[in-house]
Amino acid sequence: MKVIPLPLYHEKREGKLVLADTGFSYSEELANTASIFRDYLRKEEGISLREEKFPKINFLLDFNLRPEEYRLEISEHSLNLSARSDRGALYGVHTLIQLLEYGDGKHYFPAIYIEDAPHFSYRGFMLDIVRHFFDKREIMHLIELASFHKLNYFHLHLTDDQGFRFESEKFPRLNEIGSRRRGTILKDGTEDGIPHGGYLTKEDLREIVAHAKKFHLEIIPEIDLPGHTNAILAAYPELLCEGVNKKVEVRTSWGISKDILCAGNEKTYALLEELLLEIIEIFPSRYIHLGGDEAPKANWKNCHRCQEKIVNENLADEEALQAHFTNHFGKFLEKHGKTVIVWNDGLHPDLDPKIIIEHWKPGTRKRTVKAANSGRKVIMSDFLHLYLDYPHWMTPLAKTYAFDPLKGVEKPENILGVEAPLWTEWVASRSKIDFQVFPRLAAAAEVAWTAPELKDYENFVSRLQKLYSLYEKMGVNYARNKEKKPSILKRLAGTRRWWKDEDSEFRKN
């Protein structure tokens, strides 16, 4: 078995199905996946399938299966892939691509029986296109790779201090001013002086959403609020708190800015509601991410309007004001059929219980688990295991694989799943994205898909070689020779080198 993520059940059988002048049939409900499968064989392997009434290869509809489940049975004479939905069939095709072999001048599938379904319903990847901008072509290719790993959510981080990355027709200054910064910080603390900018048009976003739908990923847009908003404040400084007299610019450096949106200003709420309507127009996703992380409250403490809001709403303090702020937009989006996700910085006793928490912050696991045990829905994006922008020395492949989303959780039904984020402060090229993400995303995918009792790191490593060959065929610049578990001293030394030079690992690949 050379498949990643590892299926729920598999049974090897004798023989193989040779692909030569092979017939193909499929249920009409599975036509999208049938097209993807046929196109892959033709373009990548030079194999053409012809439609026949009684063929060797059959994609069958089976309403006894769950929506994301598939069943695969291959013998010397036939291949039957059964699924209840096109989504389930696609996961079966991704398994078939990994099973396909070539020998003695022939392509073939080994005889096997597989029953498979995911352990978690939420299996995500996040891409930050703010710190460094990536266009629709790059995003669409990453969508295909995420789908290949049987992920079903693609979280797109669209706004931050360093840029505003989607077209707003209602608020054009967000693009004219907010989407461009004068330069980018370097490791020595200086700026490179090279303007950096870009944003996705609404037409770009529609194409991305349609492409994701074809590959059965849901795009979750994120507009970070109320912090990480310097790009918005640079365009619309009237949304700053009272007493902040300086001009805010789109940031050229990373880290946390003390300048955040004024939560006592009604103009803030009015602009953001209109902006969220533009988001809703483009993204059909059930989820909208509102950030909520790293929002210093010094300006709120000194702002008459924010303090008045705290009094008028009978709030305890500025942290409660952020919960009130988030709840306002949670209710607004709920009216439009959306559910809000926020980073776990925003977890507060006053936060609407319907809002989902995405756990990332080191040292807060117990608090997150307590919230899950109390009924809060949670997505696990643990910084120390799943953040893909940090060096392989700091977060080795084995550490990502070892992550247990359910540790300490008494109500596992409240853990929706896992997400692996890639922040791009030090990731400026597609080649660097590949190096940071793969094969660690394969490890994260197995954490999300495979039943915990079936996981085994050595077995996972033995299955990586076939995946690497497919990466090479797909042109993926994956990180080489990262399978061994490095000692803590090597990890510390490697991480220290990375802090001085973020490309030190990358250049050696």
Side-chain angles (χ1 to χ4, degrees), residues 2-254:
K2 300 177 182 179
V3 175
I4 295 175
L6 185 68
L8 186 62
Y9 174 80
H10 69 278
E11 177 186 308
K12 291 184 178 180
R13 295 180 176 177
E14 293 297 321
K16 58 187 178 183
L17 177 68
V18 176
L19 296 183
D21 192 29
T22 304
F24 180 39
S25 77
Y26 54 86
S27 297
E28 189 59 34
E29 293 85 348
L30 311 180
N32 173 67
T33 289
S35 175
I36 291 171
F37 178 63
R38 189 159 45 191
D39 288 348
Y40 174 83
L41 289 180
R42 185 181 73 252
K43 293 175 183 177
E44 302 298 333
E45 307 295 346
I47 300 169
S48 295
L49 300 179
R50 66 176 189 278
E51 292 187 23
E52 285 185 357
K53 192 173 182 180
F54 301 105
K56 286 184 178 179
I57 299 177
N58 301 279
F59 285 9
L60 307 170
L61 197 64
D62 188 341
F63 288 108
N64 292 315
L65 301 177
R66 290 168 287 171
E68 292 194 303
E69 185 177 7
Y70 70 91
R71 186 173 62 244
L72 184 61
E73 190 163 13
I74 305 174
S75 70
E76 293 180 348
H77 308 292
S78 65
L79 183 160
N80 292 322
L81 171 62
S82 302
R84 181 175 180 168
S85 68
D86 192 75
R87 180 190 297 269
L90 183 64
Y91 299 146
V93 162
H94 290 325
T95 293
L96 284 172
I97 289 170
Q98 294 183 67
L99 288 174
L100 186 62
E101 299 284 353
Y102 183 80
D104 298 325
K106 297 177 181 178
H107 289 89
Y108 65 90
F109 289 110
I112 197 167
Y113 177 78
I114 293 174
E115 292 179 358
D116 200 11
H119 186 71
F120 288 107
S121 63
Y122 188 108
R123 307 176 303 282
F125 169 68
M126 191 216 80
L127 177 66
D128 165 19
I129 63 167
V130 177
R131 277 49 178 265
H132 283 96
F133 178 65
F134 295 93
D135 63 21
K136 70 177 180 183
R137 180 177 58 87
E138 302 288 10
I139 294 168
M140 288 163 76
H141 185 56
L142 284 167
I143 284 169
E144 293 180 26
L145 288 170
S147 174
F148 179 69
H149 289 78
K150 297 187 174 78
L151 304 183
N152 58 351
Y153 289 95
F154 195 100
H155 173 180
L156 202 53
H157 186 75
L158 292 166
T159 71
D160 215 297
D161 291 324
Q162 297 79 18
F164 191 93
R165 301 291 182 224
F166 67 89
E167 180 184 14
S168 173
E169 294 172 329
K170 294 179 180 178
F171 304 103
R173 280 190 284 168
L174 291 172
N175 302 128
E176 295 164 5
I177 298 171
S179 70
R180 192 170 182 83
R181 62 177 183 260
R182 68 170 186 265
T184 301
I185 195 77
L186 301 174
K187 268 288 170 71
D188 63 5
T190 63
E191 290 179 16
D192 61 12
I194 302 171
H196 185 87
Y199 62 90
L200 298 169
T201 67
K202 288 190 173 181
E203 186 56 37
D204 290 337
L205 292 168
R206 289 188 180 97
E207 288 184 44
I208 289 168
V209 168
H211 194 67
K213 183 179 180 182
K214 176 182 177 180
F215 286 92
H216 294 292
L217 276 97
E218 190 172 309
I219 303 289
I220 299 176
E222 180 183 353
I223 174 170
D224 210 340
L225 309 170
H228 287 283
T229 50
N230 275 38
I232 296 175
L233 293 169
Y236 294 93
E238 60 267 31
L239 304 184
L240 280 161
C241 283
E242 289 179 327
V244 180
N245 297 317
K246 70 173 185 175
K247 182 182 178 182
V248 173
E249 295 183 326
V250 179
R251 292 192 86 194
T252 59
S253 60
W254 321 131

Side-chain angles (χ1 to χ4, degrees), residues 175-350:
N175 302 128
E176 295 164 5
I177 298 171
S179 70
R180 192 170 182 83
R181 62 177 183 260
R182 68 170 186 265
T184 301
I185 195 77
L186 301 174
K187 268 288 170 71
D188 63 5
T190 63
E191 290 179 16
D192 61 12
I194 302 171
H196 185 87
Y199 62 90
L200 298 169
T201 67
K202 288 190 173 181
E203 186 56 37
D204 290 337
L205 292 168
R206 289 188 180 97
E207 288 184 44
I208 289 168
V209 168
H211 194 67
K213 183 179 180 182
K214 176 182 177 180
F215 286 92
H216 294 292
L217 276 97
E218 190 172 309
I219 303 289
I220 299 176
E222 180 183 353
I223 174 170
D224 210 340
L225 309 170
H228 287 283
T229 50
N230 275 38
I232 296 175
L233 293 169
Y236 294 93
E238 60 267 31
L239 304 184
L240 280 161
C241 283
E242 289 179 327
V244 180
N245 297 317
K246 70 173 185 175
K247 182 182 178 182
V248 173
E249 295 183 326
V250 179
R251 292 192 86 194
T252 59
S253 60
W254 321 131
I256 302 171
S257 170
K258 71 176 186 301
D259 293 315
I260 68 176
L261 293 167
C262 179
N265 188 347
E266 291 308 312
K267 290 182 180 179
T268 301
Y269 295 86
L271 184 146
L272 292 178
E273 285 181 5
E274 289 298 312
L275 193 59
L276 287 169
L277 288 175
E278 289 194 273
I279 293 263
I280 292 168
E281 172 198 346
I282 298 296
F283 296 96
S285 58
R286 77 192 79 178
Y287 301 126
I288 303 288
H289 206 300
L290 295 184
D293 60 316
E294 299 176 330
K297 307 299 190 300
N299 287 356
W300 285 7
K301 289 178 184 290
N302 297 316
C303 173
H304 172 74
R305 287 183 300 215
C306 287
Q307 293 304 309
E308 191 174 68
K309 190 81 165 177
I310 289 173
V311 172
N312 291 343
E313 299 294 340
N314 196 29
L315 304 174
D317 53 22
E318 289 75 23
E319 296 302 327
L321 178 57
Q322 179 170 339
H324 172 84
F325 181 88
T326 304
N327 288 344
H328 173 91
F329 295 107
K331 290 182 174 65
F332 174 80
L333 288 168
E334 187 179 9
K335 292 176 183 176
H336 293 85
K338 308 295 184 181
T339 299
V340 166
I341 303 172
V342 295
W343 300 106
N344 72 305
D345 308 52
L347 187 57
H348 188 274
D350 294 348

Side-chain angles (χ1 to χ4, degrees), residues 451-463:
E453 64 271 16
L454 298 179
K455 285 178 58 192
D456 178 272
Y457 183 67
E458 298 307 319
N459 180 268
F460 170 75
V461 168
S462 74
R463 288 178 276 125

